[in-house]
Structure formats: C-alpha cells, structure tokens
Amino acid sequence: MPSRSAVPDGKRPRLSDLAARAGVSVPLASMVMRGAKGPSAASRERVLQAAQEIGYRPDSRARLLRSSRSHLVGVQFDLRQPFHADMVEALYAAAGVAGYQIALSAVAASRSEQEAVEMLLADRCEALILLSPHAPAARLAELAAQLPVVSVARRLRPLADGVDVVRAADDEGARQAVDHLVALGHRDIVHIDGGRAPGAADRRRGYKSAMQHHGLTDRVRLVPGGLTEDHGAAAARTLLAEAARPTAVLAFNDHCAIGVLDTFLRARIPVPDEISVVGFDDSHLARLAHVQLTTVGQEARQLARRAVSRAVARLEGGAADDEREVVVTPHLVIRSTTRAPCGS
C-alpha cells in the first residue's frame, strides 16, 4: 500500500491519492466519500481509514459547482456587531442540519451592504439571510424577485414583497429590562438610543411604554447613542457631565453597553453600586467573566433555526405567506451589572 509520502508535501490530497492509499478504484473511493450505497463495509472502512491517514477531505465547493444546485445559503453580516458573530455560528449549525452550507459576506467600514450581497450572488447562493440589513425595503424586494430573502433582526412595515422576516420582539425585550429595573427600585432610568439602527424604534417604543406603565412618564429620557462601543462611551460621558445622574441605563445593545461600562470604570463610577447598566442581545461580550452584563437575550439559536427554515421552505416550495414574519420572544438575563439603587 502506498505510503503517506506518495502525497507531495504541501499539496492537498486528491481523490486519486486517496484511492491509491486505500488500494481501490477512484470511483469506489468517490462513492465512499459521498456516502453512496454500494461499497462493502470492508471497502468503506479501508477508504475512510486511508482518508484519515493522508488528511483527505472532499472539496465540497467543487462538488456543488458541478451540480445543478449549489445548496449554499448566503449570509450578510456586520463585522462590527458581536451579536452577528453569535448568529453566524448558530446559522452554520442550523444550515448543516437542513443539508445546506453557508457562504459569508461581511459588511465593514470599508465595505457596503451592496458589495456584500453582490459577492453572495456571484457565489451562486440559492437564498440570502441578511442580518440587520439597512437597505431600503424596495431594494430587499428587488432581491427577493431573484431568490429567497430572509431579513433577520429588523422589522419591515409594510412587509417587502417576497421577503421573509425573522426577528425578536424588541419592544417586549425593552419592557422586560425596564420592569426589572423598576422592580429593583429604580425610577431614573435612561435609554441610550440606537438612532436609525434596525430594532431601535421598537426598543425605544418598548422603553417608553414600560416607563408609562409604571407611572414614570415624566422620567422618560432618551440619550443619543448607536450600535458601537464608541456610541456608548459618548453617551456615558454625556451622563457623567450632569449634576443629577440616572440610577440606571438601558443601552441599545451589548456593544454600546460595553462602552458605557468602560467609561464609568475610567471615571471611577461603580457599577452597579452607583449606576445599573442593562444591554441588549446577550452576545458573547455580555457573558465574559469580567463583564457579566445584565442583558436582553435575542435567542440567537432560535432566530437562526427559523431563518434557515424560512429560506429552505422557499427553496423547496413549502413556504406559506401567512408565516412571512416570525417574531421570537426575548428573555431577560440577569447578571451582575444591576442591583437596587443606593439608599433604597
């Protein structure tokens, strides 16, 4: 039997190398690696053992390109959003269970949503899952006329033609955060706003509604913020410059909340002893041991499962129009950045 040295150093093992190593024909080796019926148990074991020995892995992209379908679901995500990283991980798992693969294309400071989407279209993706897209609804409808499109974490009113929506109930999540803070005894609760970011309007509405429900309409206050740590830091500096500070802050998202925490730490304002802080998303940042941020969980795995399910249903003809918007209920995750206000 040929030795591993039969594969040139630094070269990726080919199917012919695998067949030679296992002492079988190339077609038989291909059948084993595809999981096709036919090869005996002994042949299958010999090929799989040889694959492990020489480090052979099938070129799934090449196989997909040879087929009439790609079975690729394109995912547009933002490199600057920690929650998107969590979503991507969950989408890989959900797509694998459904028999599909994921192609990623990132939005960055130097790369627009349009560029990210065009790359996915060029990659022969059969459907698109767009995380928190900023594109106008009309543009999403244009894309949906070409292939199935699922918008995640953004409300569309009215729904764009042909576009499926999977999102968390952002307003409910903000209400849960305010309810938690009020139950602890807080009354001066500020919301650091997300501006025009997807989900911001709903979180704003949920915050105001909860404050009104608790008889705190006169305490409602929005501070300009945004998606990033820098936005949170700027909002925190605004609060620090005031004589009368709030006792609690609800940040637009976890990334924004991290900026708030860092600025308070540098100013020697103890959290939560002097000011409580709540984020939104329950991203991996919130779960870091030195952060332990109280936050609203968006249920990344459930959002991912539902998004993949909608995309696959469209591709395989099982989608129903009455299911075009899926709304997932978030839940509050209480950690160490909230407590009763001083003196309560």
Side-chain angles (χ1 to χ4, degrees):
M1 184 177 293
S3 68
R4 183 172 183 137
S5 61
V7 181
D9 290 342
K11 297 290 186 180
R12 176 174 178 166
R14 298 171 299 176
L15 186 63
S16 58
D17 299 322
L18 173 64
R21 176 73 178 184
V24 300
S25 67
V26 171
L28 180 59
S30 176
M31 292 175 68
V32 171
M33 297 313 295
R34 287 186 286 113
K37 296 180 180 179
S40 67
S43 295
R44 192 176 301 278
E45 182 178 355
R46 190 160 64 250
V47 171
L48 293 177
Q49 177 64 31
Q52 183 176 6
E53 290 172 355
I54 68 172
Y56 175 81
R57 297 184 65 184
D59 188 344
S60 57
R61 280 295 182 92
R63 185 177 70 250
L64 291 172
L65 289 172
R66 290 192 296 268
S67 69
S68 59
R69 291 189 58 187
S70 71
H71 280 81
L72 279 175
V73 175
V75 175
Q76 171 201 287
F77 70 106
D78 194 324
L79 281 174
R80 298 158 293 186
Q81 294 306 309
F83 180 66
H84 285 192
D86 296 342
M87 280 295 302
V88 165
E89 183 176 358
L91 285 166
Y92 269 118
V97 170
Y100 285 76
Q101 294 188 44
I102 291 293
L104 297 178
S105 190
V107 177
S110 60
R111 193 166 191 256
S112 68
E113 281 192 7
Q114 182 174 341
E115 291 174 291
V117 168
E118 285 175 354
M119 195 218 78
L120 294 173
L121 295 176
D123 211 19
R124 293 185 69 228
C125 292
E126 294 188 332
L128 297 179
I129 294 177
L130 311 178
L131 304 185
S132 308
H134 287 77
R139 170 57 180 158
L140 299 181
E142 289 176 4
L143 289 171
Q146 303 175 53
L147 74 174
V149 173
V150 182
S151 171
V152 179
R154 174 186 170 185
R155 178 197 286 266
L156 291 176
R157 285 291 181 270
L159 289 172
D161 290 343
V163 179
D164 290 289
V165 172
V166 176
R167 63 179 181 86
D170 291 291
D171 51 352
E172 170 61 21
R175 281 194 290 268
Q176 290 180 20
V178 172
D179 289 347
H180 166 64
L181 292 169
V182 171
L184 289 174
H186 293 278
R187 296 296 179 267
D188 293 312
I189 305 168
V190 166
H191 177 42
I192 298 178
D193 187 34
R196 301 183 66 181
D202 284 348
R203 295 178 196 182
R204 236 179 349 256
R205 183 170 55 253
Y207 161 75
K208 291 179 179 178
S209 173
M211 292 291 282
Q212 292 166 1
H213 173 75
H214 291 289
L216 300 173
T217 303
D218 60 334
R219 308 284 184 98
V220 168
R221 185 180 171 204
L222 300 172
V223 174
L227 292 159
T228 69
E229 186 174 342
D230 287 343
H231 289 129
R237 286 193 293 269
T238 296
L239 297 176
L240 289 174
E242 300 173 350
R245 297 171 188 153
T247 64
V249 172
L250 168 60
F252 170 68
N253 65 8
D254 291 345
H255 206 188
C256 179
I258 294 297
V260 173
L261 292 174
D262 181 65
T263 302
F264 286 168
L265 176 65
R266 292 173 186 273
R268 300 184 183 280
I269 303 298
V271 175
D273 295 340
E274 191 166 325
I275 299 181
S276 288
V277 177
V278 180
F280 206 112
D281 286 342
D282 194 24
S283 65
H284 60 275
L285 286 180
R287 301 187 290 271
L288 292 174
H290 67 285
V291 176
Q292 288 296 299
L293 178 68
T294 295
T295 184
V296 178
Q298 280 210 72
E299 306 288 356
R301 282 179 292 184
Q302 188 175 356
L303 290 174
R305 286 196 300 269
R306 301 301 291 271
V308 169
S309 176
R310 295 306 298 156
V312 171
R314 287 282 181 186
L315 288 170
E316 300 181 0
D321 287 339
D322 61 353
E323 297 177 344
R324 284 184 52 205
E325 182 175 44
V326 176
V327 182
V328 175
T329 302
H331 73 285
L332 186 71
V333 182
I334 301 173
R335 296 195 178 97
S336 64
T337 59
T338 54
R339 56 156 287 177
C342 292
S344 63

